[in-house]
Amino acid sequence: MNIYKDYVKEIEQRKRIGLNPKPIDGAELLSAIIHQIKDVNNEDREDSLHFFIYNVLPGTTSAAKVKAKFLKEIILGESVVKEISPEFALEQLSHMKGGPSITVLLDLALGNDKDIALKAAAVLKTQVFLYDADTNRLEQAHLNGNTIATDIIESYAKAEFFTKLPEIEEEIQVVTYIAGVGDISTDLLSPGGDAHSRSDRELHGQCLFEHNKEMQNELIALQEKHPDKRVMLIAEKGTMGVGSSRMSGVNNVALWTGIKSSPYVPFINIAPVIAGTNGISPIFLTTVGVTGGIGIDLQNWVKQKDENGNTIVDEDGEPILKQVYSVATGTVLTINTKEKKLYHGKTELKDISSALTPQKKEFIRAGGSYAVVFGKKLQTFAAKVLQIEVPQVYAASKEISIEGQGLTAVEKIFNKNAVGVIGGKVLHAGSDVRVEVNIVGSQDTTGLMTSQELEMMAATTISPIVDGAYQSGCHTASVWDDKSKANIPRLMQFMNDFGLITGRDPKGKYFPMTDVIHKVLNDITVGDWDIIIGGDSHTRMSKGVAFGADSGTVALALATGEATMPIPESVKVTFKGAMKSYMDFRDVVHATQQQMLKQFGGENVFQGRIIEVHIGTLTSDEAFTFTDWTAEMKAKASICISEDDTLIESLEIAKGRIQIMIEKGMDNAKQVLKGLVDKANTRITELKTGIKPALRPDANANYYAEVVIDLDEIAEPMIADPDVNNEDVSKRYTHDNIRPLSFYKGTKKVDLGFVGSCMVHKGDMKILAQMLKNIESQHGKVEFKAPLVVAPPTYNIVDELKEEGDWNVLQKYSGFEFDDSAPKGLARTKYQNMLYLERPGCNLCMGNQEKAEPGDTVMATSTRLFQGRVVKDAAEKKGESLLSSTPVVVLSTILGRTPTLAEYENAVEGIVLTKFKPSQKKLVN
């Protein structure tokens, strides 16, 4: 019983830091616990019973298999436990969500004991997590004349697992808690530095509000004062959940403020209520729906307008806001789910219909979106077996079809991939659509949660619908510490067994790859009509349309090959004018955000919509820089409209990189990677022969807005500034504050530079090498006055740079170069004024392993400028992360300050920074 004693020791260790026993997921430990339960004189029997009943993870965990087997023995009378009656054993099975529990229930329902069979059937009628093996058993028994099987199938056809659930409360009382003023990053709810603990939900819950105990205690006090109400977390004067989908953030909010999902499953809560003045970030809102939560767009502060309807701005050009109603901490509000209104007492504050659509109310009633997705599939199966039309039980999917109106690019992709649309109807934006998914990506700091979700969905293998899926190791690439050594190999083994291509080979046949997931997905996406789902907000490909998602939605896509969402509205972005020779494409990206805000009076028309960017002439590597940044524009996704020849070139690049993965031995038994190469070849042939040109919208498509970016206006490098000292707290740490280089007058001190993350590509590394050669040529030597950290996104890029000689240049000037045979075991906390060549991966951008020194001013190519992400505050100075192009970052570290425009132009002389120019071809049908 040593394993049980080890568990008891772990319990004591957790108790010291205020934690309960860790939930059990292993078969060996639970087998030992069952042995002690059977021994009626065992001194640990009472505790063992408690652990068995209340502390075992459900689904397909090995512990769940052991638990289901023992419950079956109890139901059949083969084992007798006075504290667990057969009826209670069946109740336990009903909370185990699928996999082994469904197998046992089917064994019982299709068995010879009619009384037990009827009781098991009653439980089965409440279950939705059935897979092909389960439904095949039911169908075969039905065909063989088993009346109980027929009864179950008839129940499924009526969707009684849903219709017999209690209706949602008509009134939900909430008490408000202002979690922050301005945009709230998911880092506040689940900090990147705590990524290692996400799969241990109770432990991870301690990091809510970035471990701010004062805020946590305020929350507890609020709950004690209002025990009959739910706490609603609010982003005052901002958007809730910007930055990422982060299931762990929703899990933490639910853990502190939500409802227990099952009395027999620990630390899994559902139904959090969150809100923001400017609503909820789209990808984060999807995650809220996974848990059956509510996300409200408060609009409690509005822009002031003059008599002509124009926005009134202050001396800085910022819109002046007026408070319409207060949601100060401690305010008691009522959500009326029937009227779809928000009340303060009897005063109506806001129509919240968008938070309580028929579909979202179904998620709330079912305890989350998964149950609805699986329920619909199960009902479809049953109706097919019974040869009947599917009864209309769920809210009808909203279908918008406008005669005579063309389609945007995203509307075309969704119509092509739609499932279950009757009569070939053409759907427009706003329609609810189930779509098949082509590519799925899982990253390493959310991957353990995805694997847990897959286990709890009782899924064992990837859906055959999916063309390819990848599990990365990029977020933990910087430091191979004890946490990584414990978590990552286990994750890679699970995902490899499940059917994904994995960055690390569990069998050790190929060297561990720590390539940035978005870059890999960008390469393995070989269809411009593809739909991609990835476990990160920067899942934004330059081919097809990609959606960043929470770990659970990723699990759902892997298990079912489907996703469900409304077709988003689109904003069309085109370009005019010409780029100056010394400008980088990153400056175009920032200028797009700046000019858009200027054109629409400060309104972010990109938020929650698709940015359809008519990129035309840029291949996928450089175009990705634009699509990647659209997460910071708060867009739901982005689609690149390319010329045929450009798309062919991008596909050839992708083919070459996939072939390298194959040669490294990364393909699996199903030859997924080979299949992607074949798909790319087919698409290239279609393009060359004109059979099927590159994806284009229709000329008469309808857009929410159209933005034209004037390249002539981009006269100097553009920098996204967190504006950390702005008197208005709500205007700090947004990505909307875009400033020209001249704003800093060549005097702002820079303490560290970072060239890396998904925002850079091979071209950036070559620019870096050429700049160093230029500086040496001009000044006789290269001397860094601030550290420069360089992290190439992929090993392919490193290999290509080595072949072309650029890596030798970087090595010449570096003071540190990564060594894969001896990766760093500790995070760097101090930096010298030199060039660091780091292992491919996310590095500083993720902020979960290494950071800049507290209080530093960082100039970076990365995507995130949120407080504490790349750099923490020091007592005497706030840390700040300014985001810019590679040339600006490099020169800032050479000078130790921001450069002047003249210094910048001199440093990039003779370097081709980008070949981008607006397409001269008609990129519409």
Side-chain angles (χ1 to χ4, degrees), residues 37 43 46 146 196 280 284 321 349 382 453 506 523 638 694 725 833 855 877:
I37 291 171
E43 61 180 351
E46 187 176 344
N146 186 304
H196 64 279
I280 318 298
F284 194 60
L321 302 178
L349 300 180
E453 297 282 354
D523 285 336
S638 178
N725 296 309
N833 291 344
K877 180 183 176 297

Side-chain angles (χ1 to χ4, degrees), residues 266-500:
F267 314 122
I268 298 180
N269 286 13
I270 58 173
V273 183
I274 59 173
T277 292
N278 300 326
I280 318 298
S281 175
I283 51 175
F284 194 60
L285 188 56
T286 300
T287 317
V288 174
V290 167
T291 64
I294 301 173
I296 298 175
D297 184 2
L298 293 170
Q299 297 178 344
N300 58 313
W301 290 85
V302 298
K303 294 172 187 172
Q304 292 287 81
K305 304 281 185 178
D306 61 21
E307 62 271 15
N308 297 318
N310 298 316
T311 301
I312 302 173
V313 297
D314 60 22
E315 57 188 22
D316 296 323
E318 297 289 343
I320 295 175
L321 302 178
K322 178 184 178 182
Q323 188 179 57
V324 180
Y325 60 92
S326 173
V327 291
T329 293
T331 304
V332 175
L333 303 174
T334 301
I335 296 170
N336 189 302
T337 62
K338 186 176 181 180
E339 297 177 12
K340 301 181 181 180
K341 301 281 179 68
L342 182 67
Y343 286 93
H344 182 208
K346 294 184 178 180
T347 304
E348 180 186 324
L349 300 180
K350 182 81 174 56
D351 183 292
I352 54 172
S353 298
S354 62
L356 295 166
T357 64
Q359 286 74 23
K360 289 178 181 178
K361 288 178 74 172
E362 288 176 344
F363 295 166
I364 296 167
R365 186 180 179 188
S369 59
Y370 300 162
V372 173
V373 172
F374 276 86
K376 287 180 178 179
K377 287 177 72 73
L378 193 54
Q379 187 190 24
T380 302
F381 148 78
K384 184 178 179 182
V385 170
L386 298 174
Q387 297 181 333
I388 61 173
E389 288 290 320
V390 178
Q392 190 67 50
V393 170
Y394 293 99
S397 293
K398 190 176 180 181
E399 294 185 347
I400 299 172
S401 185
I402 304 169
E403 189 175 347
Q405 180 176 301
L407 299 174
T408 64
V410 73
E411 288 169 341
K412 287 193 171 187
I413 293 175
F414 269 61
N415 275 282
K416 175 188 176 294
N417 293 282
V419 177
V421 179
I422 298 171
K425 186 183 289 186
V426 175
L427 301 177
H428 289 88
S431 301
D432 296 311
V433 186
R434 276 171 59 207
V435 289
E436 292 187 352
V437 175
N438 303 94
I439 301 291
V440 184
S442 170
Q443 50 98 331
D444 38 329
T445 53
T446 61
L448 286 168
M449 294 168 61
T450 299
S451 66
Q452 282 186 336
E453 297 282 354
L454 288 168
E455 286 180 325
M456 284 192 276
M457 288 178 193
T460 57
T461 188
I462 192 169
S463 167
I465 296 172
V466 176
D467 290 336
Y470 184 78
Q471 171 63 58
S472 81
C474 56
H475 287 65
T476 52
S478 301
V479 184
W480 191 236
D481 56 13
D482 289 342
K483 295 169 186 173
S484 299
K485 291 173 185 175
N487 290 332
I488 303 306
R490 178 162 55 98
L491 169 64
M492 294 292 174
Q493 181 71 63
F494 180 95
M495 291 301 191
N496 199 280
D497 291 344
F498 199 82
L500 283 74

Side-chain angles (χ1 to χ4, degrees), residues 727-755:
E727 290 183 5
D728 186 343
V729 177
S730 70
K731 293 174 183 175
R732 299 176 189 172
Y733 304 105
T734 78
H735 289 79
D736 294 342
N737 187 32
I738 309 292
R739 289 171 168 163
L741 183 64
S742 59
F743 174 86
Y744 304 97
K745 300 177 181 176
T747 61
K748 186 174 181 67
K749 185 175 183 291
V750 173
D751 300 300
L752 182 140
F754 173 52
V755 173

Side-chain angles (χ1 to χ4, degrees), residues 80 83 143 277 521 594 615 630 649 659 763 773 797 841 846:
V80 177
E83 296 87 351
L143 293 173
T277 292
L521 295 183
Q594 182 196 51
I615 211 87
T630 60
E649 188 178 350
Q659 189 59 45
K773 288 192 286 186
I797 288 173
M846 179 58 191

Side-chain angles (χ1 to χ4, degrees), residues 168-244:
I168 65 174
E169 302 167 85
E170 184 173 332
E171 289 190 345
I172 299 172
Q173 296 274 305
V174 297
V175 58
T176 62
Y177 182 76
I178 303 295
V181 178
D183 289 352
I184 291 183
S185 162
T186 47
D187 269 356
L188 181 75
L189 309 176
S190 168
D194 291 270
H196 64 279
S197 66
R198 287 175 182 166
S199 57
D200 185 346
R201 293 196 186 201
E202 189 192 16
L203 173 60
H204 193 69
Q206 294 191 330
C207 73
L208 183 73
F209 305 139
E210 294 183 319
H211 297 274
N212 187 319
K213 296 299 179 186
E214 184 179 344
M215 290 180 69
Q216 291 175 4
N217 289 333
E218 287 173 354
L219 199 61
I220 292 168
L222 205 58
Q223 290 170 323
E224 290 174 348
K225 186 177 179 181
H226 300 275
D228 57 335
K229 301 174 183 68
R230 291 197 237 168
V231 175
M232 178 167 73
L233 291 194
I234 296 174
E236 177 78 313
K237 290 187 181 178
T239 303
M240 174 65 82
V242 300
S244 73

